[in-house]
Amino acid sequence: MQNITCVILAAGRGTRMKSDFPKPLHKVHDRPMLEYLLSTVYSIGISRTVLVLGHGRDEIKGHFKGVDIIVQKKQLGSGDAVNTARQYFKRYRGDILVLYADTPLLKQETLKKLIEKHRKGNYGVTLLSVKVPEPAGYGRIIRDPQGNVIRIVEEKDATLYEKEICEINIGAYVFKRNALFDHINSVCFNRSKKEYYLTDIINIFNIAGIPIGALVIDDPEEGLGINSRVELAGANEIIRRRILEQFMLAGVTVIDPQTTSIDRSARIGRDTIIYPHTVIERDVVVGRYCQIGPFAHLRPGTEIAEHVEIGNYVELVRTKIGRYCKVKHKTYLGDTTLGEHINIGAGTITANYDGKNKNKTMIGDGAFIGVGCILIAPVRIGKRAVLGAGSVVTKNHHVPDGATVVGIPAKIFKKGGRA
Ligand code: UD1
Ligand code: CA
């Protein structure tokens, strides 16, 4: 997208989070909240983005390399934060999209529409608003009798009448560069909050006769600003549901969306069924026609082929499972590779960590692991091998193809013979 640069304000103290960590790094569904906004901005093709940082700036910088940064030395409010970017835009003449780092739910289509409306209407500023049932805490949009936006009043300064207004300021604006920097210095210091409010610029534009546009969106969820842990949990819930919907629309059955969590980077094949209380983390791959859960935990590095059944209280990490395997009850497999058609008995555990290293377990096609086995890695279990219930296979005591082993430590009971 041409002639537009994005400024994300992320310098605030985030006091209401009551946290030692900067607010933009608090995680929503396992990713820093700022990551969502940044990827939305990139997805609409805005090539230049600058972050205004202050509180916790070194930590935030470390997470978002390659983005331009401006430092706001003192946290004197959103108006001051924008003003610190003045030098950056000295020679720039295009539009400026101003966003707040704590609104991770904004959608790509919405930002596109906001920019479009701004350009079509030739406004000096176009802001984003929504009507919400509980507007407390947000800036309220004040309109004149003709319905034109004339100012924004912050909660702290609102009269009882203004507090009743349920159209709120989401905190996303497109400005013409000159209109913004010609007037931002006119924003006065707000004595009750000891801040320069960016929102005061709307009234200043109105008085100066600069046209103000507003895009009112329908979905209140999108406008959620995260100020406290309560809103953080709300955002988490919304993102979790949005991701699940994508999987369902792509052909995955999710039996109980309320208790299921899937990372958006996971890949899951059609006609796979996810049972309740299942957690699927980053980069996990699950093939078609599988059954996962209830109460399964698939951690990063897990790759599951087609027709696999993973059942109750099974945890998998860095584990590859071939077609038609069954791992159905109370099992932990870490750093393990399974061939095809393997049955893992209830309560089987791989001891993959020896206190220093993570070691690998390999299990060949058609092996049958009895209930309650412990496999101390590194170890290889041959094709079609059988482990008697409760066997402990010790480190490097590989089980040959077709052999049956039993006991603690596991000893060969029968060599080969199992076809
Ligand atoms: C702000 C808006 C309010 C709107 C709401 C939407 C103002 C004055 N008010 O209120 O109208 O309804 O967002 O969620 O803008 N920041 C800085 N430097 C500062 C202070 C803040 O960079 O000195 C950044 C924060 O990191 C944050 C953003 O500006 O990302 C907004 O600040 P915040 O304190 O969260 O404003 P709200 O009270 O939520
Ligand atoms: Ca906020």
Side-chain angles (χ1 to χ4, degrees):
M1 202 174 267
Q2 297 291 311
N3 266 329
I4 184 149
T5 299
C6 177
V7 182
I8 301 179
L9 309 186
R13 282 186 300 270
T15 331
R16 290 163 279 182
M17 291 299 283
K18 301 211 169 28
S19 174
D20 292 341
F21 308 104
K23 182 163 73 171
L25 296 185
H26 276 266
K27 286 186 176 166
V28 174
H29 212 258
D30 222 24
R31 286 158 205 267
M33 71 170 88
L34 182 52
E35 204 177 300
Y36 291 90
L37 196 58
L38 276 172
S39 60
T40 309
V41 168
Y42 293 143
S43 74
I44 57 174
I46 294 183
S47 49
R48 270 178 84 194
T49 297
V50 55
L51 289 178
V52 178
L53 299 182
H55 178 77
R57 62 178 174 266
D58 293 335
E59 274 172 87
I60 301 176
K61 253 190 224 172
H63 270 80
F64 302 102
K65 300 199 173 93
V67 186
D68 287 351
I69 284 163
I70 296 170
V71 175
Q72 182 193 21
K73 290 207 182 85
K74 276 192 185 164
Q75 277 60 74
L76 292 174
S78 51
D80 178 72
V82 167
N83 215 356
T84 52
R86 175 184 291 278
Q87 275 301 102
Y88 185 88
F89 289 102
K90 209 171 165 192
R91 273 183 268 282
Y92 177 79
R93 288 294 168 265
D95 291 322
I96 302 177
L97 172 66
V98 178
L99 302 173
Y100 296 161
D102 62 359
T103 53
L105 302 175
L106 285 176
K107 289 185 181 156
Q108 172 191 3
E109 309 87 79
T110 303
L111 293 184
K112 270 192 190 162
K113 278 188 202 151
L114 182 72
I115 297 163
E116 249 170 53
K117 176 148 195 176
H118 177 75
R119 292 184 166 171
K120 273 204 186 125
N122 198 23
Y123 299 111
V125 62
T126 309
L127 57 83
L128 194 63
S129 77
V130 68
K131 292 195 175 108
V132 295
E134 287 173 37
Y138 290 97
R140 311 294 206 280
I141 306 289
I142 313 292
R143 292 177 181 262
D144 68 12
Q146 287 74 45
N148 303 308
V149 174
I150 51 170
R151 74 196 159 86
I152 297 174
V153 62
E154 291 302 306
E155 171 89 18
K156 225 175 169 179
D157 310 309
T159 61
L160 279 178
Y161 169 75
E162 287 165 340
K163 280 188 180 150
E164 293 293 309
I165 296 171
C166 58
E167 184 183 3
I168 59 122
N169 172 36
I170 290 178
Y173 324 76
V174 189
F175 286 97
K176 280 188 181 164
R177 184 256 173 235
N178 284 355
L180 176 61
F181 289 112
D182 288 352
H183 292 89
I184 190 87
N185 277 330
S186 310
V187 167
C188 297
F189 189 66
N190 180 293
R191 296 200 181 277
S192 67
K193 248 202 134 190
K194 301 196 170 41
E195 280 184 9
Y196 293 91
Y197 290 160
L198 175 61
T199 44
D200 282 353
I201 205 166
I202 304 299
N203 186 36
I204 294 168
F205 275 24
N206 183 47
I207 291 166
I210 299 170
I212 300 162
L215 177 70
V216 189
I217 58 168
D218 299 324
D219 177 10
E221 276 182 7
E222 244 198 282
L224 182 72
I226 299 177
N227 297 312
S228 74
R229 311 266 180 165
V230 177
E231 287 137 357
L232 186 69
N236 205 57
E237 182 55 26
I238 294 163
I239 297 259
R240 197 180 58 78
R241 213 184 53 227
R242 278 187 190 172
I243 296 171
L244 287 177
E245 277 167 17
Q246 293 302 316
F247 281 105
M248 291 188 267
L249 291 171
V252 176
T253 296
V254 178
I255 301 283
D256 183 12
Q258 295 282 358
T259 63
T260 305
S261 172
I262 305 180
D263 189 86
R264 64 177 167 173
S265 66
R267 281 186 285 140
I268 304 179
R270 279 166 70 158
D271 294 314
T272 279
I273 303 174
I274 311 292
Y275 286 90
H277 295 280
T278 289
V279 175
I280 299 181
E281 295 184 10
R282 242 171 225 250
D283 302 325
V284 167
V285 179
V286 179
R288 296 181 69 166
Y289 319 117
C290 293
Q291 294 182 28
I292 311 291
F295 296 97
H297 185 187
L298 311 187
R299 295 173 51 204
T302 298
E303 288 177 28
I304 295 173
E306 297 178 357
H307 295 284
V308 169
E309 292 178 36
I310 304 292
N312 310 263
Y313 303 104
V314 172
E315 176 182 347
L316 305 174
V317 64
R318 298 179 300 276
T319 285
K320 295 185 175 45
I321 299 187
R323 298 184 317 148
Y324 295 100
C325 287
K326 291 184 182 178
V327 188
K328 296 203 62 165
H329 328 270
K330 300 181 185 153
T331 287
Y332 167 69
L333 301 178
D335 301 288
T336 302
T337 303
L338 268 65
E340 300 182 354
H341 294 278
I342 294 165
N343 188 83
I344 304 282
T348 292
I349 303 285
T350 53
N352 60 323
Y353 183 53
D354 59 14
K356 280 193 194 132
N357 298 308
K358 303 268 171 72
N359 301 306
K360 291 194 161 44
T361 300
M362 317 276 276
I363 304 179
D365 293 349
F368 184 91
I369 313 295
V371 299
C373 289
I374 298 176
L375 310 176
I376 301 173
V379 73
R380 277 194 314 274
I381 311 294
K383 290 182 182 172
R384 299 173 311 284
V386 176
L387 269 59
S391 304
V392 176
V393 182
T394 47
K395 224 177 192 178
N396 289 318
H397 285 81
H398 308 305
V399 176
D401 287 355
T404 299
V405 300
V406 290
I408 305 175
K411 298 232 170 62
I412 294 191
F413 174 73
K414 202 159 100 187
K415 274 192 188 168
R418 189 171 176 256

